[in-house]
PDB file of all heavy atoms in Angstrom:
ATOM      1  N   GLN A   1       0.798  -1.223   0.000  1.00  0.00           N
ATOM      2  CA  GLN A   1       0.000   0.000   0.000  1.00  0.00           C
ATOM      3  C   GLN A   1       0.832   1.275   0.000  1.00  0.00           C
ATOM      4  O   GLN A   1       0.269   2.361  -0.070  1.00  0.00           O
ATOM      5  CB  GLN A   1      -0.944  -0.006   1.211  1.00  0.00           C
ATOM      6  CG  GLN A   1      -1.989  -1.114   1.157  1.00  0.00           C
ATOM      7  CD  GLN A   1      -2.856  -1.140   2.403  1.00  0.00           C
ATOM      8  OE1 GLN A   1      -2.640  -1.906   3.329  1.00  0.00           O
ATOM      9  NE2 GLN A   1      -3.848  -0.269   2.420  1.00  0.00           N
ATOM     10  N   GLY A   2       2.127   1.140   0.106  1.00  0.00           N
ATOM     11  CA  GLY A   2       2.968   2.333   0.082  1.00  0.00           C
ATOM     12  C   GLY A   2       2.881   3.173   1.335  1.00  0.00           C
ATOM     13  O   GLY A   2       3.144   4.388   1.290  1.00  0.00           O
ATOM     14  N   LEU A   3       2.537   2.562   2.463  1.00  0.00           N
ATOM     15  CA  LEU A   3       2.455   3.294   3.724  1.00  0.00           C
ATOM     16  C   LEU A   3       3.826   3.319   4.402  1.00  0.00           C
ATOM     17  O   LEU A   3       4.565   2.336   4.374  1.00  0.00           O
ATOM     18  CB  LEU A   3       1.436   2.641   4.658  1.00  0.00           C
ATOM     19  CG  LEU A   3      -0.007   2.567   4.149  1.00  0.00           C
ATOM     20  CD1 LEU A   3      -0.858   1.744   5.101  1.00  0.00           C
ATOM     21  CD2 LEU A   3      -0.588   3.963   3.992  1.00  0.00           C
ATOM     22  N   ASP A   4       4.137   4.426   5.013  1.00  0.00           N
ATOM     23  CA  ASP A   4       5.383   4.571   5.754  1.00  0.00           C
ATOM     24  C   ASP A   4       5.104   4.202   7.207  1.00  0.00           C
ATOM     25  O   ASP A   4       4.594   5.018   7.978  1.00  0.00           O
ATOM     26  CB  ASP A   4       5.902   6.002   5.639  1.00  0.00           C
ATOM     27  CG  ASP A   4       7.223   6.201   6.362  1.00  0.00           C
ATOM     28  OD1 ASP A   4       7.839   5.199   6.765  1.00  0.00           O
ATOM     29  OD2 ASP A   4       7.635   7.369   6.533  1.00  0.00           O
ATOM     30  N   VAL A   5       5.396   2.956   7.570  1.00  0.00           N
ATOM     31  CA  VAL A   5       5.114   2.466   8.918  1.00  0.00           C
ATOM     32  C   VAL A   5       6.407   2.424   9.709  1.00  0.00           C
ATOM     33  O   VAL A   5       7.327   1.675   9.382  1.00  0.00           O
ATOM     34  CB  VAL A   5       4.469   1.063   8.876  1.00  0.00           C
ATOM     35  CG1 VAL A   5       4.123   0.596  10.293  1.00  0.00           C
ATOM     36  CG2 VAL A   5       3.222   1.064   7.999  1.00  0.00           C
ATOM     37  N   GLN A   6       6.482   3.244  10.747  1.00  0.00           N
ATOM     38  CA  GLN A   6       7.680   3.373  11.574  1.00  0.00           C
ATOM     39  C   GLN A   6       7.448   2.666  12.910  1.00  0.00           C
ATOM     40  O   GLN A   6       6.623   3.101  13.721  1.00  0.00           O
ATOM     41  CB  GLN A   6       8.005   4.854  11.810  1.00  0.00           C
ATOM     42  CG  GLN A   6       8.280   5.645  10.550  1.00  0.00           C
ATOM     43  CD  GLN A   6       9.615   5.279   9.926  1.00  0.00           C
ATOM     44  OE1 GLN A   6      10.561   4.933  10.630  1.00  0.00           O
ATOM     45  NE2 GLN A   6       9.682   5.326   8.601  1.00  0.00           N
ATOM     46  N   LEU A   7       8.152   1.554  13.138  1.00  0.00           N
ATOM     47  CA  LEU A   7       7.995   0.778  14.367  1.00  0.00           C
ATOM     48  C   LEU A   7       9.018   1.197  15.408  1.00  0.00           C
ATOM     49  O   LEU A   7      10.074   1.743  15.083  1.00  0.00           O
ATOM     50  CB  LEU A   7       8.142  -0.709  14.059  1.00  0.00           C
ATOM     51  CG  LEU A   7       7.182  -1.288  13.015  1.00  0.00           C
ATOM     52  CD1 LEU A   7       7.457  -2.780  12.825  1.00  0.00           C
ATOM     53  CD2 LEU A   7       5.733  -1.049  13.403  1.00  0.00           C
ATOM     54  N   GLY A   8       8.710   0.922  16.667  1.00  0.00           N
ATOM     55  CA  GLY A   8       9.617   1.285  17.751  1.00  0.00           C
ATOM     56  C   GLY A   8       9.792   2.774  17.912  1.00  0.00           C
ATOM     57  O   GLY A   8      10.836   3.234  18.381  1.00  0.00           O
ATOM     58  N   CYS A   9       8.776   3.536  17.551  1.00  0.00           N
ATOM     59  CA  CYS A   9       8.820   5.006  17.617  1.00  0.00           C
ATOM     60  C   CYS A   9       7.709   5.519  18.521  1.00  0.00           C
ATOM     61  O   CYS A   9       6.528   5.459  18.164  1.00  0.00           O
ATOM     62  CB  CYS A   9       8.679   5.618  16.222  1.00  0.00           C
ATOM     63  SG  CYS A   9      10.031   5.231  15.097  1.00  0.00           S
ATOM     64  N   ARG A  10       8.085   6.011  19.672  1.00  0.00           N
ATOM     65  CA  ARG A  10       7.112   6.509  20.635  1.00  0.00           C
ATOM     66  C   ARG A  10       6.965   8.026  20.496  1.00  0.00           C
ATOM     67  O   ARG A  10       7.927   8.774  20.718  1.00  0.00           O
ATOM     68  CB  ARG A  10       7.534   6.161  22.057  1.00  0.00           C
ATOM     69  CG  ARG A  10       6.575   6.650  23.137  1.00  0.00           C
ATOM     70  CD  ARG A  10       7.043   6.248  24.517  1.00  0.00           C
ATOM     71  NE  ARG A  10       6.154   6.751  25.545  1.00  0.00           N
ATOM     72  CZ  ARG A  10       5.034   6.154  25.934  1.00  0.00           C
ATOM     73  NH1 ARG A  10       4.665   5.015  25.357  1.00  0.00           N
ATOM     74  NH2 ARG A  10       4.274   6.682  26.873  1.00  0.00           N
ATOM     75  N   VAL A  11       5.773   8.469  20.127  1.00  0.00           N
ATOM     76  CA  VAL A  11       5.493   9.903  20.028  1.00  0.00           C
ATOM     77  C   VAL A  11       5.233  10.432  21.433  1.00  0.00           C
ATOM     78  O   VAL A  11       4.333   9.949  22.127  1.00  0.00           O
ATOM     79  CB  VAL A  11       4.292  10.169  19.097  1.00  0.00           C
ATOM     80  CG1 VAL A  11       3.952  11.658  19.091  1.00  0.00           C
ATOM     81  CG2 VAL A  11       4.616   9.690  17.689  1.00  0.00           C
ATOM     82  N   GLU A  12       6.001  11.420  21.833  1.00  0.00           N
ATOM     83  CA  GLU A  12       5.937  11.921  23.210  1.00  0.00           C
ATOM     84  C   GLU A  12       5.456  13.354  23.305  1.00  0.00           C
ATOM     85  O   GLU A  12       5.185  13.840  24.406  1.00  0.00           O
ATOM     86  CB  GLU A  12       7.325  11.801  23.852  1.00  0.00           C
ATOM     87  CG  GLU A  12       7.804  10.351  23.928  1.00  0.00           C
ATOM     88  CD  GLU A  12       9.267  10.229  24.290  1.00  0.00           C
ATOM     89  OE1 GLU A  12      10.031  11.158  23.918  1.00  0.00           O
ATOM     90  OE2 GLU A  12       9.649   9.231  24.921  1.00  0.00           O
ATOM     91  N   GLY A  13       5.372  14.047  22.171  1.00  0.00           N
ATOM     92  CA  GLY A  13       4.937  15.433  22.214  1.00  0.00           C
ATOM     93  C   GLY A  13       4.205  15.840  20.950  1.00  0.00           C
ATOM     94  O   GLY A  13       4.443  15.289  19.871  1.00  0.00           O
ATOM     95  N   LEU A  14       3.310  16.779  21.101  1.00  0.00           N
ATOM     96  CA  LEU A  14       2.501  17.284  19.991  1.00  0.00           C
ATOM     97  C   LEU A  14       2.380  18.794  20.149  1.00  0.00           C
ATOM     98  O   LEU A  14       2.002  19.283  21.219  1.00  0.00           O
ATOM     99  CB  LEU A  14       1.115  16.619  20.010  1.00  0.00           C
ATOM    100  CG  LEU A  14      -0.032  17.305  19.255  1.00  0.00           C
ATOM    101  CD1 LEU A  14       0.276  17.388  17.768  1.00  0.00           C
ATOM    102  CD2 LEU A  14      -1.338  16.565  19.512  1.00  0.00           C
ATOM    103  N   ASP A  15       2.708  19.516  19.069  1.00  0.00           N
ATOM    104  CA  ASP A  15       2.573  20.971  19.064  1.00  0.00           C
ATOM    105  C   ASP A  15       1.581  21.361  17.976  1.00  0.00           C
ATOM    106  O   ASP A  15       1.950  21.459  16.799  1.00  0.00           O
ATOM    107  CB  ASP A  15       3.920  21.629  18.812  1.00  0.00           C
ATOM    108  CG  ASP A  15       3.826  23.153  18.811  1.00  0.00           C
ATOM    109  OD1 ASP A  15       2.779  23.687  19.265  1.00  0.00           O
ATOM    110  OD2 ASP A  15       4.771  23.809  18.349  1.00  0.00           O
ATOM    111  N   PRO A  16       0.313  21.570  18.328  1.00  0.00           N
ATOM    112  CA  PRO A  16      -0.682  21.909  17.310  1.00  0.00           C
ATOM    113  C   PRO A  16      -0.380  23.212  16.581  1.00  0.00           C
ATOM    114  O   PRO A  16      -0.757  23.355  15.409  1.00  0.00           O
ATOM    115  CB  PRO A  16      -1.980  22.018  18.123  1.00  0.00           C
ATOM    116  CG  PRO A  16      -1.748  21.205  19.354  1.00  0.00           C
ATOM    117  CD  PRO A  16      -0.298  21.397  19.663  1.00  0.00           C
ATOM    118  N   ALA A  17       0.289  24.147  17.240  1.00  0.00           N
ATOM    119  CA  ALA A  17       0.562  25.444  16.606  1.00  0.00           C
ATOM    120  C   ALA A  17       1.484  25.290  15.398  1.00  0.00           C
ATOM    121  O   ALA A  17       1.249  25.885  14.341  1.00  0.00           O
ATOM    122  CB  ALA A  17       1.169  26.406  17.623  1.00  0.00           C
ATOM    123  N   SER A  18       2.530  24.491  15.527  1.00  0.00           N
ATOM    124  CA  SER A  18       3.460  24.284  14.418  1.00  0.00           C
ATOM    125  C   SER A  18       3.150  23.021  13.623  1.00  0.00           C
ATOM    126  O   SER A  18       3.840  22.716  12.660  1.00  0.00           O
ATOM    127  CB  SER A  18       4.896  24.212  14.950  1.00  0.00           C
ATOM    128  OG  SER A  18       5.071  23.075  15.780  1.00  0.00           O
ATOM    129  N   ARG A  19       2.145  22.298  14.044  1.00  0.00           N
ATOM    130  CA  ARG A  19       1.748  21.036  13.419  1.00  0.00           C
ATOM    131  C   ARG A  19       2.931  20.078  13.336  1.00  0.00           C
ATOM    132  O   ARG A  19       3.320  19.611  12.275  1.00  0.00           O
ATOM    133  CB  ARG A  19       1.143  21.268  12.030  1.00  0.00           C
ATOM    134  CG  ARG A  19      -0.157  22.054  12.060  1.00  0.00           C
ATOM    135  CD  ARG A  19      -0.761  22.136  10.685  1.00  0.00           C
ATOM    136  NE  ARG A  19      -1.783  23.169  10.623  1.00  0.00           N
ATOM    137  CZ  ARG A  19      -2.328  23.611   9.502  1.00  0.00           C
ATOM    138  NH1 ARG A  19      -1.934  23.100   8.343  1.00  0.00           N
ATOM    139  NH2 ARG A  19      -3.248  24.548   9.517  1.00  0.00           N
ATOM    140  N   ARG A  20       3.467  19.769  14.503  1.00  0.00           N
ATOM    141  CA  ARG A  20       4.591  18.842  14.591  1.00  0.00           C
ATOM    142  C   ARG A  20       4.356  17.845  15.719  1.00  0.00           C
ATOM    143  O   ARG A  20       3.732  18.176  16.730  1.00  0.00           O
ATOM    144  CB  ARG A  20       5.902  19.596  14.877  1.00  0.00           C
ATOM    145  CG  ARG A  20       6.428  20.456  13.751  1.00  0.00           C
ATOM    146  CD  ARG A  20       7.637  21.245  14.211  1.00  0.00           C
ATOM    147  NE  ARG A  20       8.165  22.091  13.147  1.00  0.00           N
ATOM    148  CZ  ARG A  20       9.138  21.735  12.316  1.00  0.00           C
ATOM    149  NH1 ARG A  20       9.692  20.537  12.442  1.00  0.00           N
ATOM    150  NH2 ARG A  20       9.564  22.542  11.364  1.00  0.00           N
ATOM    151  N   ILE A  21       4.884  16.649  15.508  1.00  0.00           N
ATOM    152  CA  ILE A  21       4.938  15.662  16.594  1.00  0.00           C
ATOM    153  C   ILE A  21       6.410  15.367  16.860  1.00  0.00           C
ATOM    154  O   ILE A  21       7.256  15.505  15.980  1.00  0.00           O
ATOM    155  CB  ILE A  21       4.151  14.375  16.253  1.00  0.00           C
ATOM    156  CG1 ILE A  21       4.598  13.768  14.916  1.00  0.00           C
ATOM    157  CG2 ILE A  21       2.655  14.660  16.220  1.00  0.00           C
ATOM    158  CD1 ILE A  21       5.571  12.657  15.043  1.00  0.00           C
ATOM    159  N   PHE A  22       6.714  14.981  18.113  1.00  0.00           N
ATOM    160  CA  PHE A  22       8.081  14.714  18.538  1.00  0.00           C
ATOM    161  C   PHE A  22       8.108  13.375  19.265  1.00  0.00           C
ATOM    162  O   PHE A  22       7.138  12.991  19.918  1.00  0.00           O
ATOM    163  CB  PHE A  22       8.583  15.798  19.498  1.00  0.00           C
ATOM    164  CG  PHE A  22       8.363  17.193  18.999  1.00  0.00           C
ATOM    165  CD1 PHE A  22       7.161  17.860  19.234  1.00  0.00           C
ATOM    166  CD2 PHE A  22       9.365  17.848  18.293  1.00  0.00           C
ATOM    167  CE1 PHE A  22       6.961  19.151  18.775  1.00  0.00           C
ATOM    168  CE2 PHE A  22       9.162  19.149  17.831  1.00  0.00           C
ATOM    169  CZ  PHE A  22       7.960  19.798  18.069  1.00  0.00           C
ATOM    170  N   GLY A  23       9.221  12.668  19.159  1.00  0.00           N
ATOM    171  CA  GLY A  23       9.292  11.395  19.841  1.00  0.00           C
ATOM    172  C   GLY A  23      10.691  10.840  19.935  1.00  0.00           C
ATOM    173  O   GLY A  23      11.676  11.468  19.544  1.00  0.00           O
ATOM    174  N   THR A  24      10.735   9.592  20.461  1.00  0.00           N
ATOM    175  CA  THR A  24      11.997   8.894  20.681  1.00  0.00           C
ATOM    176  C   THR A  24      11.853   7.455  20.219  1.00  0.00           C
ATOM    177  O   THR A  24      10.823   6.825  20.454  1.00  0.00           O
ATOM    178  CB  THR A  24      12.388   8.920  22.174  1.00  0.00           C
ATOM    179  OG1 THR A  24      12.386  10.270  22.647  1.00  0.00           O
ATOM    180  CG2 THR A  24      13.760   8.310  22.385  1.00  0.00           C
ATOM    181  N   THR A  25      12.889   6.934  19.580  1.00  0.00           N
ATOM    182  CA  THR A  25      12.889   5.542  19.161  1.00  0.00           C
ATOM    183  C   THR A  25      13.367   4.652  20.308  1.00  0.00           C
ATOM    184  O   THR A  25      13.909   5.134  21.310  1.00  0.00           O
ATOM    185  CB  THR A  25      13.796   5.321  17.948  1.00  0.00           C
ATOM    186  OG1 THR A  25      15.167   5.484  18.348  1.00  0.00           O
ATOM    187  CG2 THR A  25      13.471   6.316  16.833  1.00  0.00           C
ATOM    188  N   THR A  26      13.168   3.347  20.152  1.00  0.00           N
ATOM    189  CA  THR A  26      13.621   2.413  21.188  1.00  0.00           C
ATOM    190  C   THR A  26      15.143   2.420  21.317  1.00  0.00           C
ATOM    191  O   THR A  26      15.686   1.996  22.333  1.00  0.00           O
ATOM    192  CB  THR A  26      13.143   0.991  20.863  1.00  0.00           C
ATOM    193  OG1 THR A  26      13.510   0.659  19.512  1.00  0.00           O
ATOM    194  CG2 THR A  26      11.643   0.872  21.019  1.00  0.00           C
ATOM    195  N   GLU A  27      15.849   2.917  20.282  1.00  0.00           N
ATOM    196  CA  GLU A  27      17.305   3.022  20.346  1.00  0.00           C
ATOM    197  C   GLU A  27      17.765   4.325  21.008  1.00  0.00           C
ATOM    198  O   GLU A  27      18.967   4.587  21.127  1.00  0.00           O
ATOM    199  CB  GLU A  27      17.918   2.947  18.939  1.00  0.00           C
ATOM    200  CG  GLU A  27      17.835   1.576  18.288  1.00  0.00           C
ATOM    201  CD  GLU A  27      16.464   1.316  17.683  1.00  0.00           C
ATOM    202  OE1 GLU A  27      15.715   2.307  17.463  1.00  0.00           O
ATOM    203  OE2 GLU A  27      16.135   0.145  17.441  1.00  0.00           O
ATOM    204  N   GLY A  28      16.804   5.164  21.405  1.00  0.00           N
ATOM    205  CA  GLY A  28      17.152   6.404  22.078  1.00  0.00           C
ATOM    206  C   GLY A  28      17.339   7.597  21.162  1.00  0.00           C
ATOM    207  O   GLY A  28      17.734   8.670  21.610  1.00  0.00           O
ATOM    208  N   LEU A  29      17.049   7.430  19.864  1.00  0.00           N
ATOM    209  CA  LEU A  29      17.156   8.535  18.924  1.00  0.00           C
ATOM    210  C   LEU A  29      15.878   9.371  18.954  1.00  0.00           C
ATOM    211  O   LEU A  29      14.787   8.850  19.196  1.00  0.00           O
ATOM    212  CB  LEU A  29      17.397   8.004  17.511  1.00  0.00           C
ATOM    213  CG  LEU A  29      18.643   7.126  17.318  1.00  0.00           C
ATOM    214  CD1 LEU A  29      18.681   6.596  15.884  1.00  0.00           C
ATOM    215  CD2 LEU A  29      19.914   7.911  17.640  1.00  0.00           C
ATOM    216  N   THR A  30      16.012  10.656  18.710  1.00  0.00           N
ATOM    217  CA  THR A  30      14.845  11.526  18.675  1.00  0.00           C
ATOM    218  C   THR A  30      14.400  11.738  17.230  1.00  0.00           C
ATOM    219  O   THR A  30      15.190  11.625  16.298  1.00  0.00           O
ATOM    220  CB  THR A  30      15.152  12.883  19.319  1.00  0.00           C
ATOM    221  OG1 THR A  30      16.219  13.517  18.602  1.00  0.00           O
ATOM    222  CG2 THR A  30      15.545  12.704  20.778  1.00  0.00           C
ATOM    223  N   PHE A  31      13.121  12.046  17.073  1.00  0.00           N
ATOM    224  CA  PHE A  31      12.591  12.342  15.744  1.00  0.00           C
ATOM    225  C   PHE A  31      11.471  13.364  15.869  1.00  0.00           C
ATOM    226  O   PHE A  31      10.906  13.563  16.955  1.00  0.00           O
ATOM    227  CB  PHE A  31      12.070  11.061  15.059  1.00  0.00           C
ATOM    228  CG  PHE A  31      10.886  10.436  15.738  1.00  0.00           C
ATOM    229  CD1 PHE A  31       9.584  10.810  15.409  1.00  0.00           C
ATOM    230  CD2 PHE A  31      11.063   9.458  16.710  1.00  0.00           C
ATOM    231  CE1 PHE A  31       8.491  10.239  16.039  1.00  0.00           C
ATOM    232  CE2 PHE A  31       9.966   8.868  17.336  1.00  0.00           C
ATOM    233  CZ  PHE A  31       8.686   9.260  17.003  1.00  0.00           C
ATOM    234  N   GLU A  32      11.164  14.020  14.757  1.00  0.00           N
ATOM    235  CA  GLU A  32      10.005  14.902  14.691  1.00  0.00           C
ATOM    236  C   GLU A  32       9.454  14.846  13.274  1.00  0.00           C
ATOM    237  O   GLU A  32      10.132  14.456  12.335  1.00  0.00           O
ATOM    238  CB  GLU A  32      10.353  16.330  15.081  1.00  0.00           C
ATOM    239  CG  GLU A  32      11.317  17.040  14.142  1.00  0.00           C
ATOM    240  CD  GLU A  32      11.555  18.480  14.572  1.00  0.00           C
ATOM    241  OE1 GLU A  32      12.233  18.697  15.602  1.00  0.00           O
ATOM    242  OE2 GLU A  32      11.043  19.373  13.871  1.00  0.00           O
TER     243      GLU A  32
END
């Protein structure tokens, strides 16, 4: 289906003003 499924990624923050989500992977890396 062409979906981008990211496993082991915990979303920990949401900023509706900037329309961004923030999180950390199980390896300790951050992402947004």
Side-chain angles (χ1 to χ4, degrees):
Q1 295 177 262
L3 300 173
D4 182 11
V5 183
Q6 299 288 328
L7 303 180
C9 296
R10 180 179 178 84
V11 176
E12 298 168 329
L14 160 62
D15 181 14
S18 65
R19 295 185 196 169
R20 290 174 180 267
I21 54 98
F22 310 87
T24 306
T25 69
T26 51
E27 290 80 18
L29 302 176
T30 60
F31 65 89
E32 65 177 71

